Amino acid sequence: MAALPPRRAGGGEMTRYRPLSRRFFARHSVVVARALLGHLLVHETAGGRLVGRIVETEAYRGSRDPASHASRQTPRSAIMFGRPGIAYVYFSYGMHHCLNVTTEPDGRPGAVLLRALEIIEGVEGTRHSTSPVTRLAAGPGRLTAAMRVGPEHNGTDLTALPLFIAYGGRRRAAIVAGPRIGISATASRRWRFGLAGHPALSRPFRRL
DNA sequence: ACTACGATCTACT
DNA sequence: GTAGATCGTAGTG
């Protein structure tokens, strides 16, 4: 009998990175946006595993949130009305992709935009053009570039391989909040959240 | 078919 | 601080 081949670095490590449950995402977008801070985005690629800690998010919710793509029901936004825990990837400003995870129970529109990560594994597999390394995923467009996320991930399940959100341990840092970036309306809603003082934030949070 | 614009990033002043 | 790159989506004709 031949020896077992070595475990591939792909699925075998799912014990180390445990996906969050779908129920985690089936809540109010603002609750999910805050709760995601400190958890991990994991991507098992052919070139190796990429892992980043989520340090900044934004909540988008409901049909009456004018800043949200779900303020109108269109082919693109349909995914925000579906089941939670699914990737919503859209193309922005003609050159970037942004990654969201859908929220709220099935049938209610919502999503959380992942705006910044601290890359903690697989830095050598990410693009090296951005320096310092702490800024590699500091912004929604940089995040998708660093994590090799593209339109092919739109509609995929973020609770399963190869791209998923995993438990990241107990969060230590305090959470800060502010108005969402690039949104003219609803500036009074402070639905942008971040880990206080983290170097990978896309932009600083203003003090009250 | 044609137009306007954006949940951005980089480079430059 | 502000401009330019660049194109899918959605609204209008």
Side-chain angles (χ1 to χ4, degrees), chain A residues 77-146:
Chain A
S77 67
I79 194 162
M80 290 181 68
F81 291 78
R83 66 209 281 251
I86 302 298
Y88 169 41
V89 180
Y90 69 89
F91 191 56
S92 180
Y93 289 97
M95 56 198 78
H96 306 289
H97 293 277
C98 295
L99 172 65
N100 302 249
V101 55
T102 58
T103 57
E104 313 275 341
D106 196 350
R108 295 186 179 247
V112 170
L113 171 66
L114 303 186
R115 284 193 56 88
L117 306 177
E118 171 192 2
I119 303 293
I120 62 175
E121 190 175 331
V123 174
E124 66 281 357
T126 64
R127 64 173 185 184
H128 275 228
S129 56
T130 307
S131 64
V133 163
T134 55
R135 306 251 83 207
L136 208 52
R142 290 172 157 195
L143 183 154
T144 53

Side-chain angles (χ1 to χ4, degrees), chain A residues 150-193:
Chain A
E152 68 273 20
H153 296 104
N154 190 39
T156 64
D157 187 356
L158 288 178
T159 70
L161 287 167
L163 179 67
F164 61 98
I165 296 175
Y167 179 72
R170 230 180 102 80
R171 177 167 28 77
R172 284 195 46 173
I175 294 177
V176 287
R180 292 173 291 184
I181 304 290
I183 307 296
S184 44
T186 72
S188 60
R189 281 179 188 166
R190 309 200 315 153
W191 283 5
R192 173 184 177 229
F193 303 100

Side-chain angles (χ1 to χ4, degrees), chain A residues 1 4 8 15 18 21 26 28 33-34 44 47 65 80 83 91 110 113 115 131 137 152-153 162 171 173 179 185 202:
Chain A
M1 188 127 185
L4 289 173
R8 272 206 33 84
T15 49
R18 294 244 326 273
S21 70
H28 193 296
R34 296 177 59 101
E44 302 280 1
D65 177 3
M80 290 181 68
R83 66 209 281 251
F91 191 56
L113 171 66
R115 284 193 56 88
S131 64
E152 68 273 20
H153 296 104
R171 177 167 28 77
S202 67

Side-chain angles (χ1 to χ4, degrees), chain A residues 23-96:
Chain A
R23 280 202 325 240
F24 179 94
F25 302 101
R27 298 180 285 167
H28 193 296
S29 293
V30 171
V31 172
V32 177
R34 296 177 59 101
L36 275 173
L37 296 173
H39 288 306
L40 307 173
L41 180 65
V42 182
H43 192 187
E44 302 280 1
T45 74
R49 180 168 54 219
L50 300 167
V51 183
R53 189 175 301 279
I54 298 167
V55 303
E56 183 181 336
T57 59
E58 276 177 6
Y60 291 86
R61 170 167 208 271
S63 304
R64 292 204 301 275
D65 177 3
S68 172
H69 292 171
S71 61
R72 288 184 298 248
Q73 198 155 4
T74 65
R76 182 177 68 163
S77 67
I79 194 162
M80 290 181 68
F81 291 78
R83 66 209 281 251
I86 302 298
Y88 169 41
V89 180
Y90 69 89
F91 191 56
S92 180
Y93 289 97
M95 56 198 78
H96 306 289

